[in-house]
Amino acid sequence: MRSEDLAKLLGLSRSTISRVINNYPDIPQTTRDKVWKAIEEYNYAPNASARKLAGVKNKMIALILLDVKDNEEGHHIKVSEHTLIHDNPFFSPIVNAVIDQANKMDHYVLVSISYTKDDLRKVQSIFQQKLIDGAIFVGTQEAENELIFSLIEQNHLIAMIDTSEVNNANHNAIYINADNYEGSVKAVSYLLELGHRSIGIITGNLNKLSAQERLAGYETTLMQHGIEMTDKMIYQGDFTENSGYDGIKYFFRTANPPTAIFVSNDTMVVGAYRAITELGLRIPEDVSIIGFDNSFFSPYLNPPLTTIDISFSEMAKRATTLLIESIEQEQQRGIVEKENATLIKRESCKKWKGS
Amino acid sequence: MRSEDLAKLLGLSRSTISRVINNYPDIPQTTRDKVWKAIEEYNYAPNASARKLAGVKNKMIALILLDVKDNEEGHHIKVSEHTLIHDNPFFSPIVNAVIDQANKMDHYVLVSISYTKDDLRKVQSIFQQKLIDGAIFVGTQEAENELIFSLIEQNHLIAMIDTSEVNNANHNAIYINADNYEGSVKAVSYLLELGHRSIGIITGNLNKLSAQERLAGYETTLMQHGIEMTDKMIYQGDFTENSGYDGIKYFFRTANPPTAIFVSNDTMVVGAYRAITELGLRIPEDVSIIGFDNSFFSPYLNPPLTTIDISFSEMAKRATTLLIESIEQEQQRGIVEKENATLIKRESCKKWKGS
DNA sequence: CTGAAAGCGCTTACAG
DNA sequence: CTGAAAGCGCTTACAG
């Protein structure tokens, strides 16, 4: 069924059909009704390619997930189906939220995953082919900056979630980041409220902005509360499970181990829990643990983990909304926003009754 | 950059550019090289809509996730970002695997989630608009059958993962299901190997084929080993966490509780673990538990859950491969396949030393 | 208020 | 081996 067919059926021209569909003014209500009725009846929908070719926007955005490991082959489908999502526990809520929000705003979403630098050429071609009206990038690192900046310069509409880029306000793109600093302040403040005065931190990879900000929140909060801070209380991890394990082992080798430990992400907590169990200690009786990210597995840990939710799904929703608004207004703007972090109280932290 | 521009630049016609891109024979290598070089240099890619309109296939498939609750409003973005994925722990690996495999086979994927019956009209329109070459459905239930059958009859290429439909071989579509029966046999056989002779089952919702098959595997295996089976050993659950909890409470109210329990999915195990802890019992010392699905959270349970992996990602990969092959061969075939189930040994089962 | 016609950027028989 | 031209199914100034 083409618009021509429908037109003939109704004794109208294609132009009129098109005008009704695209909501042109100056069409009598009777004609409108007649056309819509026939559209329903014959299950007509305009050919998407033809519309797009004629200049109408696609209502299609791309969600581009970047999981590029430098100097490594692509790992594609992994040995375990859990590996990818485990590597990137945040991808899943983002995918859901973007699709959800886009659907609500009447847009389709094309999802693409890149594992290798080579895959990035395909990303390039998604734009060249004029397949989409805009795109959301997740998981970008240094390596992809060049590609993305060139895309922005070509006036493509782009939103980025959780970029590591710092001074990004100059670029005409949408940047949505977590408020790592605020989250960290909330985590440490909570431990202080519980009465802890000896609080350790296992940091993330300090090359990453998020790790730096989480450390900064820790330091500032302790300082503001007049708690003395020693280097001994800071263990430099790297966001991996193993470094969480090592961090705990380190702390409990020292003379006065902290009574509470802020672990900079939930993945490291998995290792931390393992180490604590090995040491024959109990959480939270012997030591309180607070995580960061509210990863999907954190409620299933034993005990369920108190952590900071940075709501990737909210970030994704916000990025999607702003992107689609830009598309509809046809203007490329530079936007930088931080999404709130919230404390999720579960069972891994306990009041400290002095010592 | 349009093909016309490129043609002028090279002193050729659009036709020749097109023929090179589409790999026509009878073009001298020198011309080919010249054209490809220019394509690289000017970053040209043919406009996707124009190609499609001219009759070339899209290389785009849709992945349609159905999460329709009958008689309920859509829940869209949920209170918790974990809810959706928790409701459907299997969506995530499927999304990843489909995208991965499609990308490898040089296809794009459009992902769409439907929460309400109303959303299904949008699914309809994806086809009408000729946006895609084929589609994969996940999570279909009775309600969607009509839509899907009509789509199949209109010669759309369709694959379905984990359908509840039984006698589907008649339809010209691709059906990929888990081998629930085989998985169940493996689970129960493992418990028998460990020496258990008193084995209970918490079934799923027996309206569902998967629940029926899992129960059948249990019954047959016990029978083949000459183990007497009583109705007391069968608790009818419904795949929800609460029914797992209730099932355990039921068994331990009976005179001789089973020494091992086959819980028909991992979600019910979460409730089962809770009940067992409340009863002051230990897993696996007091009772062995085996689950089904190998859900993402199962390694994080305490103790880590021994379960059956039905590899949704393998199913997704297979469905994607078969669908794209159908697209390329332009033929609609009826295919029904079962994907293997494998036993994942973790720490929730223990040898039974007689009694 | 509505129709005829140009144009969007390709592909592909049809000629030569 | 390659070009000129028709056609894919829409939208939208341009007329009337």
Side-chain angles (χ1 to χ4, degrees):
Chain A
M1 168 80 45
R2 302 162 307 144
S3 77
E4 173 102 51
D5 303 327
L6 202 65
K8 273 198 189 125
L9 242 32
L10 295 175
L12 292 168
S13 72
R14 299 177 332 194
S15 320
T16 303
I17 305 288
S18 175
R19 286 190 185 101
V20 170
I21 286 175
N22 295 296
N23 244 303
Y24 274 57
D26 297 329
I27 298 188
Q29 195 57 43
T30 52
T31 309
R32 259 181 223 291
D33 292 345
K34 201 166 64 174
V35 172
W36 277 119
K37 192 166 154 259
I39 286 175
E40 293 282 315
E41 188 178 342
Y42 296 96
N43 251 300
Y44 169 76
N47 179 304
S49 302
R51 288 193 95 185
K52 172 80 175 168
L53 193 55
V56 176
K57 278 194 289 289
N58 226 0
K59 302 217 172 210
M60 180 133 85
I61 62 173
L63 171 59
I64 297 169
L65 305 174
L66 265 19
D67 191 22
V68 178
K69 313 281 190 232
D70 300 319
N71 311 318
E72 233 185 66
E73 279 180 71
H75 35 300
H76 298 262
I77 283 289
K78 322 305 219 345
V79 183
S80 154
E81 69 189 77
H82 294 301
T83 313
L84 174 61
I85 180 177
H86 184 262
D87 278 3
N88 292 291
F90 60 96
F91 272 178
S92 194
I94 288 180
V95 173
N96 285 328
V98 167
I99 293 171
D100 236 14
Q101 183 62 21
N103 283 186
K104 267 191 217 163
M105 296 177 81
D106 196 23
H107 280 247
Y108 294 108
V109 16
L110 188 81
V111 184
S112 165
I113 306 181
S114 291
Y115 295 107
T116 64
K117 288 193 181 169
D118 219 54
D119 288 347
L120 293 177
R121 325 187 88 228
K122 290 196 187 160
V123 172
Q124 174 91 262
S125 107
I126 292 177
F127 287 89
Q128 288 168 197
Q129 290 178 105
K130 302 240 157 80
L131 261 177
I132 53 168
D133 298 326
I136 298 174
F137 283 88
V138 182
T140 52
Q141 300 190 311
E142 287 286 311
E144 294 86 48
N145 280 343
E146 199 187 340
L147 167 64
I148 295 175
F149 291 164
S150 96
L151 255 17
I152 294 172
E153 264 160 34
Q154 290 164 57
N155 291 316
H156 286 115
L157 266 23
I158 286 177
M160 298 170 76
I161 296 176
D162 198 45
T163 50
S164 48
E165 188 68 4
V166 193
N167 54 343
N168 37 31
N170 307 323
H171 298 290
N172 274 326
I174 296 163
Y175 291 86
I176 310 289
N177 287 299
D179 198 335
N180 289 297
Y181 179 83
E182 181 206 17
S184 166
V185 168
K186 286 185 177 175
V188 177
S189 299
Y190 177 60
L191 295 174
L192 288 170
E193 271 170 43
L194 290 176
H196 293 278
R197 288 298 173 270
S198 171
I199 300 175
I201 182 173
I202 299 177
T203 73
N205 180 342
L206 290 175
N207 294 334
K208 297 202 177 172
L209 181 64
S210 60
Q212 290 164 27
E213 291 176 340
R214 290 171 196 190
L215 176 57
Y218 164 85
E219 293 179 328
T220 312
T221 309
L222 288 187
M223 242 160 11
Q224 284 176 350
H225 286 256
I227 311 276
E228 71 167 317
M229 238 172 29
T230 58
D231 277 358
K232 275 175 41 198
M233 288 308 204
I234 302 179
Y235 179 85
Q236 193 168 328
D238 61 6
F239 283 139
T240 66
E241 190 174 321
N242 282 338
S243 71
Y245 178 92
D246 294 340
I248 293 298
K249 288 289 169 99
Y250 159 79
F251 281 127
F252 285 92
R253 245 186 272 118
T254 62
N256 293 304
T259 63
I261 299 172
F262 169 37
V263 183
S264 298
N265 78 351
D266 290 358
T267 302
M268 291 195 294
V269 167
V270 175
Y273 270 36
R274 189 157 42 85
I276 291 169
T277 305
E278 277 184 27
L279 291 168
L281 299 169
R282 294 157 306 160
I283 309 162
E285 290 78 1
D286 299 315
V287 59
S288 287
I289 297 288
I290 192 164
F292 205 112
D293 277 353
N294 193 21
S295 295
F296 67 88
F297 53 78
S298 61
Y300 301 101
L301 293 175
N302 178 36
L305 181 66
T306 294
T307 186
I308 300 295
D309 184 356
I310 48 175
S311 193
F312 279 110
S313 75
E314 276 307 316
M315 288 166 64
K317 189 177 168 185
R318 188 74 187 132
T320 307
T321 304
L322 289 171
L323 178 66
I324 295 178
E325 281 174 5
S326 294
I327 290 170
E328 281 168 352
Q329 298 162 203
E330 299 187 0
Q331 57 166 318
Q332 198 191 31
R333 295 173 299 166
I335 301 179
V336 178
E337 284 191 10
K338 297 220 167 203
E339 196 60 44
N340 288 343
T342 53
L343 175 66
I344 308 287
K345 291 185 195 175
R346 285 195 280 248
E347 299 162 33
S348 62
C349 295
K350 209 188 152 194
K351 270 223 169 83
W352 183 250
K353 298 165 181 167
S355 61
Chain B
M1 168 81 44
R2 301 161 307 145
S3 76
E4 173 103 50
D5 304 327
L6 202 66
K8 274 200 188 120
L9 240 34
L10 295 175
L12 292 167
S13 72
R14 299 178 331 194
S15 320
T16 303
I17 305 289
S18 175
R19 287 191 184 101
V20 170
I21 287 176
N22 295 297
N23 244 303
Y24 275 57
D26 296 331
I27 298 187
Q29 195 57 44
T30 52
T31 309
R32 261 181 220 291
D33 292 344
K34 202 166 65 171
V35 172
W36 277 118
K37 194 168 152 254
I39 286 175
E40 293 281 315
E41 187 178 342
Y42 295 97
N43 249 300
Y44 168 77
N47 179 303
S49 304
R51 288 193 95 186
K52 173 81 175 165
L53 193 56
V56 175
K57 279 195 288 288
N58 227 359
K59 301 216 171 210
M60 181 132 85
I61 62 174
L63 172 59
I64 297 170
L65 306 173
L66 265 19
D67 190 23
V68 178
K69 313 281 192 234
D70 300 319
N71 312 317
E72 234 185 63
E73 281 179 72
H75 34 299
H76 297 262
I77 282 289
K78 323 304 220 344
V79 183
S80 154
E81 69 188 77
H82 294 300
T83 313
L84 174 60
I85 181 177
H86 184 263
D87 278 2
N88 292 291
F90 59 96
F91 273 178
S92 194
I94 289 180
V95 173
N96 285 327
V98 168
I99 294 172
D100 236 15
Q101 183 62 21
N103 283 185
K104 267 191 217 163
M105 295 178 81
D106 195 24
H107 280 248
Y108 293 109
V109 16
L110 189 80
V111 184
S112 165
I113 307 182
S114 290
Y115 295 108
T116 65
K117 288 192 181 170
D118 220 53
D119 288 347
L120 293 177
R121 324 187 87 228
K122 289 195 187 164
V123 171
Q124 173 91 263
S125 107
I126 291 177
F127 287 89
Q128 289 168 197
Q129 290 178 108
K130 303 239 158 77
L131 261 176
I132 52 169
D133 299 326
I136 298 174
F137 283 88
V138 182
T140 53
Q141 302 190 310
E142 287 286 310
E144 294 86 49
N145 280 342
E146 199 187 341
L147 166 64
I148 294 175
F149 292 164
S150 96
L151 255 17
I152 294 172
E153 264 160 34
Q154 289 163 56
N155 291 316
H156 286 115
L157 266 22
I158 286 177
M160 297 170 78
I161 296 175
D162 198 46
T163 49
S164 50
E165 187 69 4
V166 192
N167 55 343
N168 36 33
N170 306 322
H171 299 290
N172 274 325
I174 296 162
Y175 291 85
I176 309 289
N177 286 299
D179 197 336
N180 289 297
Y181 179 82
E182 181 206 18
S184 167
V185 168
K186 286 186 178 175
V188 176
S189 299
Y190 177 60
L191 295 175
L192 288 170
E193 271 171 43
L194 290 176
H196 293 277
R197 288 298 173 269
S198 169
I199 301 175
I201 181 172
I202 300 177
T203 74
N205 181 341
L206 290 175
N207 293 333
K208 297 201 177 174
L209 182 63
S210 60
Q212 291 164 26
E213 290 177 340
R214 291 171 196 189
L215 176 57
Y218 163 86
E219 294 179 328
T220 312
T221 309
L222 288 187
M223 240 155 18
Q224 283 177 349
H225 287 256
I227 311 275
E228 70 166 319
M229 239 173 28
T230 60
D231 277 359
K232 276 175 40 199
M233 287 309 204
I234 301 179
Y235 179 85
Q236 192 168 328
D238 61 5
F239 284 139
T240 66
E241 189 174 323
N242 282 337
S243 72
Y245 177 92
D246 293 341
I248 293 297
K249 289 288 169 99
Y250 159 79
F251 282 125
F252 284 93
R253 244 185 274 117
T254 61
N256 292 304
T259 64
I261 299 172
F262 169 36
V263 183
S264 298
N265 78 352
D266 290 357
T267 301
M268 292 196 293
V269 168
V270 175
Y273 270 37
R274 189 156 44 82
I276 291 169
T277 305
E278 277 184 27
L279 291 168
L281 299 169
R282 292 157 307 159
I283 309 162
E285 288 79 3
D286 300 315
V287 59
S288 287
I289 297 288
I290 192 163
F292 205 112
D293 277 354
N294 193 20
S295 295
F296 68 88
F297 53 78
S298 61
Y300 301 100
L301 294 175
N302 179 36
L305 181 66
T306 294
T307 185
I308 300 295
D309 185 359
I310 49 175
S311 192
F312 279 109
S313 74
E314 276 306 316
M315 288 167 62
K317 190 176 168 184
R318 189 73 188 133
T320 308
T321 304
L322 289 171
L323 178 66
I324 295 179
E325 282 174 5
S326 294
I327 291 170
E328 281 167 353
Q329 298 161 204
E330 299 188 359
Q331 58 166 317
Q332 199 190 30
R333 294 173 299 165
I335 301 179
V336 178
E337 283 191 10
K338 296 220 169 203
E339 196 60 43
N340 288 342
T342 53
L343 175 67
I344 306 287
K345 291 185 194 176
R346 285 195 280 248
E347 298 164 33
S348 63
C349 294
K350 211 189 152 193
K351 270 222 170 83
W352 183 251
K353 298 169 183 165
S355 59

